């Protein structure tokens, strides 16, 4: 019978779970990895994985050190008037890139997905499940429209923060919102 309760002595259970999660996501992809499989590899009860992380989505966010919480992104899209989704999502995205604490992990993530097909596949599966499918279902939108939104956002980031194309790179957030939010909104309105 498996021992219950906290492990004796100094614990690094959380780190063990994250290491197991990275292995499971690498071996099986986001869709194939399970909380039970992660727990088994870490040598813990699945309830402990839920205790530390709450959900498979959160384990993935932590394991890959994602600089954003996808649940927050879904909430931003779905909370508030539909005719303001473009502005809300754009302001959230601009804010994430403005802050050094989230900008640097985003740069690392861009490098990883552009150079490692396995990481790209994991992130793609995760985003489709944790964000795109939820928003598409809630708003009754074709998934193609949401991937269009994602492509606009990635293009904006590339021009503004990676390439540093002027005058976009030095434009204020309000100027960018005025220019780009209507385009993002179009994907939601049709």
């Amino acid at each position: 019978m498996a021992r219950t309760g906290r492990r004796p002595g100094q614990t690094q259970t959380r780190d063990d779970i994250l290491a197991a999660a990275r292995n499971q996501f690498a071996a099986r992809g986001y869709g194939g990895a399970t909380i039970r499989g992660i727990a088994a590899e870490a040598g813990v009860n699945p309830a402990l994985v839920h205790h530390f992380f709450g959900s498979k989505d959160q384990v993935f966010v932590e394991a890959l050190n994602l600089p954003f919480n996808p649940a927050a992104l879904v909430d931003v899209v779905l909370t508030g008037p539909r005719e303001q989704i473009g502005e809300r999502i754009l302001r959230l995205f601009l804010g994430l890139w403005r802050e050094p604490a989230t900008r640097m992990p985003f740069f690392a993530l861009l490098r990883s997905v552009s150079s490692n097909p396995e990481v790209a596949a994991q992130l793609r599966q995760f985003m489709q499940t944790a964000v795109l499918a939820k928003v598409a279902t809630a708003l009754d939108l074709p998934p193609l429209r949401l991937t269009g939104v994602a492509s606009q956002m990635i293009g904006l980031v590339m021009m503004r923060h990676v390439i540093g194309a002027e005058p976009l790179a030095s434009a204020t957030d309000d100027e960018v919102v005025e220019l780009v939010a209507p385009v993002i909104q179009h994907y939601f309105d049709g």
Side-chain angles (χ1 to χ4, degrees), residues 91 94 171-179:
R91 286 194 184 279
L94 291 171
T172 67
D173 285 359
D174 288 337
E175 290 171 322
V176 174
V177 167
E178 183 181 338
L179 177 70

Side-chain angles (χ1 to χ4, degrees), residues 83-94:
E83 63 273 5
Q84 295 173 352
I85 291 174
E87 181 175 345
R88 286 195 310 271
I89 196 170
L90 186 55
R91 286 194 184 279
L92 171 71
F93 206 69
L94 291 171

Side-chain angles (χ1 to χ4, degrees), residues 149-172:
V149 170
S151 71
Q152 285 287 152
M153 302 305 263
I154 297 299
L156 174 65
V157 164
M158 293 300 288
M159 292 300 289
R160 183 173 167 101
H161 295 285
V162 177
I163 296 169
E166 291 294 352
L168 186 62
S170 60
T172 67

Side-chain angles (χ1 to χ4, degrees), residues 6-22:
R6 187 173 179 261
R7 289 180 175 178
Q10 184 75 4
T11 183
Q12 61 178 78
T13 304
R14 190 175 193 284
D15 292 339
D16 292 346
I17 292 169
L18 285 174
R22 287 182 189 104

Side-chain angles (χ1 to χ4, degrees), residues 57-132:
D57 290 354
Q58 284 306 115
V59 175
F60 187 82
V61 167
E62 294 280 335
L64 289 189
N65 193 26
L66 294 181
F68 67 97
N69 180 343
L73 179 60
V74 172
D75 286 346
V76 165
V77 172
L78 300 180
T79 304
R82 186 174 178 134
E83 63 273 5
Q84 295 173 352
I85 291 174
E87 181 175 345
R88 286 195 310 271
I89 196 170
L90 186 55
R91 286 194 184 279
L92 171 71
F93 206 69
L94 291 171
L96 290 171
W97 277 91
R98 185 181 334 104
E99 298 300 322
T102 49
R103 182 176 53 241
M104 297 318 291
F106 264 124
F107 277 128
L109 182 62
L110 277 176
R111 281 191 294 275
S112 294
V113 299
S114 64
S115 64
N116 187 326
E118 292 169 6
V119 174
Q122 290 175 33
L123 185 61
R124 181 175 51 252
Q125 288 175 354
F126 172 71
M127 290 302 293
Q128 287 172 337
T129 303
V131 178
L132 300 178

Side-chain angles (χ1 to χ4, degrees), residues 47-60:
L48 203 51
V49 178
H50 287 291
H51 167 75
F52 279 112
F53 302 100
S55 69
K56 179 178 161 182
D57 290 354
Q58 284 306 115
V59 175
F60 187 82

